[in-house]
Amino acid sequence: MEYFKEALYQWYHCHKRDLPWRSTRDPYLIWVSEIILQQTRVDQGLPYYERFIRQFPDVHVLSQASDDHLMKQWEGLGYYSRARHLHATAKIISERYQGKFPSDYATVRSLKGIGDYTAAAIVSIAFGAPCAVVDGNVYRVLSRFLGIKDPIDTPGGKKRFQQVAEELLDRNNPGMHNQALMEFGALCCTPRNPGCQTCPLVSGCYAFQHKLKETLPVKSKRIQRKIRYFYFLVAEDKEQVIIEKRTGSDIWKHLYQFPLLEQDYPADEQLLLSMPFLNRSTVNHEDTLPEISREYIHQLTHQEIRARFIRVKHRRLADNFPDGIRINKAEIHTFAFPVLIRNYIQKNFPGEHR
DNA sequence: AACTCGGGGCA
DNA sequence: TGCCCAGAGTT
């Protein structure tokens, strides 16, 4: 495997991208970048990273941030529990560790939002600790090059890949080794249309020789989507509109939305207009009739959201939203919304965006 | 072990 | 459309 490693490092030296978290060893910055990059492409995460560290340049500033401001910075990035865990962990580091980021794997691994991958990434990159990372890139590169057919989404398979990665690790420079493996998977050994023509490792690649580059790595399960129907009540008058905060164990926790009626099936329009929740917005003869928006379809990994917005323009918003939050429309852009709702807002609420 | 958490990019 | 992305937490 020395051939593999030498060729990989050579490739990395020539082809690595110039990314901001590569020019620092500040564990805080490494940590933030790793959390943002969980299940997120570099191209998508990069602008969020830049803005995030500008807003929160160190762990103390982050620990002092308000929840809403933090979520606003994360708006649109998805997997919002990452932001919550980041916040909680920043407080722990700021208080219990006096702002000094722990440097051993076990302690780092015990922090909220940091699993096996992220702990290994932080301690290897920031502190040079001999820990091997296993992420989607590593699964792909190792399964293809070595012809490992164990599924990557079962405990047994994960254990196998972890062992192989640890055996392969260059203990002289674990951070560089880990990043080289991942960068190679991201740029050359890609999920589809891998660059085998220009690959420096092709001569030893099991998948290439056996024409298995389309079938490796192996996954045992496949995802299935369920469809949910969301009907949002946009109750407003000239100055104000009603929103509420999402709680409970569901998507978009701690983001805001308009008062919601959810169904497992599409609602008939007449039925919709007679919905009890619409009565919360007392419609009287001085108000305009409800307007029902087009259907917004929002694809997520495990579900498809089909949403409509029922907009009621009141002459004067009554005090009948006990669990809602009454805000000035001019402030609506300071709250974090799911992308689906943000899209609606941008088209239907004039004013300064961000 | 199986589910669930988002959003965007790609063929 | 289905799959994937510098995965982690919950049940």
Side-chain angles (χ1 to χ4, degrees), chain A residues 28 31 56-64 89-91 93-94 99:
Chain A
Y28 170 75
W31 169 50
F56 313 113
D58 61 52
V59 70
H60 181 68
V61 175
L62 178 57
S63 72
Q64 298 293 322
T89 293
K91 292 176 181 172
I93 294 175
S94 181

Side-chain angles (χ1 to χ4, degrees), chain A residues 220-237:
Chain A
S220 65
K221 319 184 238 295
R222 86 177 57 147
I223 58 158
Q224 61 179 14
R225 272 198 197 97
K226 84 168 187 184
I227 301 180
R228 301 169 72 178
Y229 297 86
F230 283 7
Y231 299 97
F232 292 109
L233 173 60
V234 185
E236 62 176 328
D237 61 16

Side-chain angles (χ1 to χ4, degrees), chain A residues 198-218:
Chain A
T198 62
C199 176
L201 304 172
V202 71
S203 64
C205 181
Y206 181 95
F208 184 79
Q209 290 163 9
H210 295 81
K211 300 185 189 303
L212 288 176
K213 63 183 165 66
E214 305 299 335
T215 55
L216 290 176
V218 173

Side-chain angles (χ1 to χ4, degrees), chain A residues 21 36 41-54:
Chain A
W21 49 85
I36 287 179
R41 291 166 198 281
V42 167
D43 292 341
Q44 187 187 0
L46 187 53
Y48 282 87
Y49 174 82
E50 305 274 20
R51 193 166 62 242
F52 196 93
I53 64 169
R54 199 161 58 239

